[in-house]
Amino acid sequence: MNRDAEILKRLGAQVAQIAVLPVQDDKKKMWRAHNGLQMTRPMVCIDQLPWHELNVTDELTLLCEDEFLRDIEQGLRRQLYKWKHFPADMVIENRVDIPKTIYGLNYGLTIIEETLATQEGNDIVSHKYADQCETEESLAELRPDEIRADKALDKEHKERCEEIFKGIIPVRLSGVSIHAGVWDRIAQARPLESILFDIVDRPEFIQMVAKKFLELTMSTVDQCEALGLLDAEDPLVHCTGAYVDELPTKSCNPDKATAKDCWTFAMAQIFATVGPDTHEEFEIDIMKPLFERFGLLYYGCCEPLHQKIDIIRKIKNVRKISISPWAKIDESAERIGGDYVFSGKAHPAYVASGVLETENIKTQVTQMIEACKRNHTPCEIILKDISTVNNNPQVLTEWEKLLMEIAGR
């Protein structure tokens, strides 16, 4: 334990030293302006990394023996690694976050699946999900979780870490950020093809499915609010900076945050193959009450949304809209028209080989930035969903350098 403590002290001291740099406050101010829909330079983030390929110099090798402290060590090492190699516009907070101990946070669905991995250590795997809502009877069997918090264990964890990091860096218990992408969970409970056929052949049934999963998610939010589990201080929302003047609200109690104090994120990636009217009927119209419980919403993921900005406008609290590599850039920026943040997704395929595809990156990113400038729209560029860099982490450093150069012009 003494050895584990010394390891964490050294890592905590490194984080604390970085956290007090003036650039951290500068980046927070930029994010707040950007998320407040002011025109700043494009903001840049890198997230969802192939960590199993990045530890070529042992910077990410875990040395702690205690399982709990090992998890804390991993978080610190990954934070330091990103800051050293590709910081972009990330912010290092002067704290160590200790995740609260929560049981039953499954949004009402216990996933039954088979997985197939192609590479050891890679958490990107193929999934074959069991059909759990083929009939009204099977749908009725789904019940809300009973979410439980272990406050005694949280107190123990916090006290252990406060003792370790005493005089070095503050410790905070971090809570839950709600994933409001209900259709992504439905797609883990029923085959995608069956869902799409249901929309045509059994529209009343698939609406029942959507409303059931809405109910399950609402119960999750209710319980997290009641138990004081929501996190109003999460620095990220869906891999982007979450700093904004409106949140948390002025009346927020950090120990009892409500949904109105927090961001949420949502998407309906399965609806990439349906038109705006169908998307609106089966997603927007049904899920609006969930989305609008929250202070602000980040909407979208990998599905192209350029033809659906008008239906997204019907959600009152949208602040960012994902523009995926498969969306039409100019049409997206024109339809957003400065009313939301254009959250542009850089194509991860351009780093996947381990060799930077410089011209393809420049073409895509420059088109995004110029389209946003023409339409007076705040722009951010996010590189995420990176399943591989072909064991060459240096390509991420090169990508970050190139993007920060382009963004700063």
Side-chain angles (χ1 to χ4, degrees):
M1 289 300 297
N2 288 337
R3 179 175 178 273
D4 286 0
E6 288 305 315
I7 291 166
L8 293 182
K9 286 177 188 290
R10 288 196 297 271
L11 295 173
Q14 292 176 53
V15 171
Q17 188 175 24
I18 295 167
V20 297
L21 295 174
V23 69
Q24 308 299 346
D25 284 337
D26 293 342
K27 291 290 176 67
K28 288 181 190 178
K29 289 176 183 176
M30 290 180 68
W31 276 114
R32 288 193 178 98
H34 169 78
N35 290 331
L37 302 181
Q38 298 177 36
M39 290 296 290
T40 65
R41 69 154 174 81
M43 304 298 285
V44 182
C45 283
I46 303 177
D47 205 354
Q48 296 183 336
L49 296 156
W51 290 107
H52 63 290
E53 293 185 359
L54 305 188
N55 193 25
V56 296
T57 57
D58 275 340
E59 292 172 76
L60 296 166
T61 300
L62 301 180
L63 302 176
C64 287
E65 296 180 1
D66 180 86
E67 184 176 354
F68 166 68
L69 298 182
R70 197 173 173 88
D71 288 341
I72 303 303
E73 178 192 8
Q74 182 180 76
L76 293 172
R77 287 192 183 278
R78 288 183 174 184
Q79 193 175 29
L80 290 166
Y81 185 95
K82 288 180 67 175
W83 180 262
K84 177 179 178 181
H85 295 284
F86 37 84
D89 286 315
M90 73 180 291
V91 174
I92 300 286
E93 290 281 2
N94 188 34
R95 70 189 189 214
V96 175
D97 281 348
I98 312 299
K100 292 180 180 179
T101 308
I102 304 168
Y103 304 102
L105 185 62
N106 303 311
Y107 295 89
L109 176 67
T110 299
I111 296 172
I112 303 171
E113 63 176 333
E114 299 175 33
T115 60
L116 182 64
T118 58
Q119 188 178 16
E120 185 178 354
N122 189 350
D123 58 4
I124 305 297
V125 298
S126 297
H127 303 262
K128 181 182 179 182
Y129 298 108
D131 192 344
Q132 298 189 59
C133 46
E134 184 178 7
T135 65
E136 292 184 25
E137 291 73 22
S138 58
L139 184 64
E141 292 178 4
L142 298 177
R143 296 282 190 276
D145 300 309
E146 181 183 347
I147 299 172
R148 294 177 293 113
D150 193 334
K151 293 189 176 181
L153 186 56
D154 287 344
K155 182 174 183 291
E156 178 187 326
H157 284 165
K158 190 168 187 283
E159 287 176 351
R160 286 180 69 188
C161 289
E162 284 177 336
E163 181 62 29
I164 290 171
F165 295 113
K166 185 177 181 180
I168 299 174
I169 190 169
V171 172
R172 181 185 80 106
L173 287 170
S174 61
V176 175
S177 294
I178 295 293
H179 184 332
V182 175
W183 276 101
D184 275 27
R185 281 193 288 280
I186 295 173
Q188 294 176 303
R190 183 150 174 76
L192 305 184
E193 295 88 348
S194 299
I195 294 172
L196 294 173
F197 276 120
D198 284 341
I199 289 172
V200 177
D201 297 333
R202 298 196 296 170
E204 295 85 4
F205 172 71
I206 204 65
Q207 283 200 343
M208 287 180 58
V209 172
K211 290 174 182 178
K212 178 68 172 187
F213 276 78
L214 171 64
E215 173 193 327
L216 297 173
T217 306
M218 283 290 205
S219 174
T220 298
V221 180
D222 290 342
Q223 292 182 68
C224 285
E225 282 187 332
L227 293 168
L229 298 179
L230 295 182
D231 194 340
E233 299 179 31
D234 194 334
L236 294 175
V237 55
H238 207 168
C239 306
T240 74
Y243 298 96
V244 65
D245 288 336
E246 296 101 311
L247 299 179
T249 62
K250 292 181 180 179
S251 60
C252 175
N253 175 356
D255 296 323
K256 203 80 167 178
T258 69
K260 282 297 182 185
D261 295 308
C262 304
W263 283 87
T264 192
F265 60 100
M267 69 290 291
Q269 296 182 89
I270 189 175
F271 288 163
T273 57
V274 307
D277 290 345
T278 302
H279 191 127
E280 181 177 2
E281 178 182 356
F282 291 92
E283 156 76 343
I284 305 297
D285 288 348
I286 295 173
M287 304 303 168
K288 265 186 69 178
L290 168 63
F291 300 158
E292 292 179 354
R293 282 189 68 169
F294 289 83
L296 290 171
L297 171 69
Y298 180 115
Y299 192 83
C301 194
C302 293
E303 70 276 33
L305 294 172
H306 54 276
Q307 293 183 314
K308 300 179 179 180
I309 305 299
D310 290 343
I311 66 170
I312 295 170
R313 285 183 178 278
K314 297 184 179 183
I315 308 168
K316 294 178 183 178
N317 58 334
V318 178
R319 182 57 56 89
K320 301 191 186 196
I321 298 178
S322 172
I323 306 303
S324 82
W326 299 275
K328 293 182 179 179
I329 293 172
D330 291 338
E331 185 176 344
S332 299
E334 183 176 346
R335 292 192 175 200
I336 287 175
D339 295 329
Y340 312 103
V341 174
F342 177 112
S343 189
K345 302 298 177 56
H347 210 311
Y350 298 155
V351 298
S353 70
V355 177
L356 197 70
E357 296 189 25
T358 304
E359 293 309 313
N360 284 335
I361 294 168
K362 285 182 177 179
T363 298
Q364 184 203 17
V365 170
T366 301
Q367 185 182 358
M368 287 181 180
I369 293 173
E370 291 303 317
C372 287
K373 284 181 179 178
R374 286 195 304 273
N375 292 280
H376 306 287
T377 298
C379 178
E380 60 189 30
I381 309 296
I382 315 300
L383 179 62
K384 61 187 287 288
D385 299 310
I386 313 165
S387 57
T388 182
V389 289
N390 198 25
N391 296 296
N392 179 25
Q394 180 62 26
V395 73
L396 296 174
T397 300
E398 295 170 0
W399 186 93
E400 189 261 6
K401 183 179 179 181
L402 175 62
L403 261 288
M404 295 305 285
E405 178 186 334
I406 295 172
R409 290 174 183 168

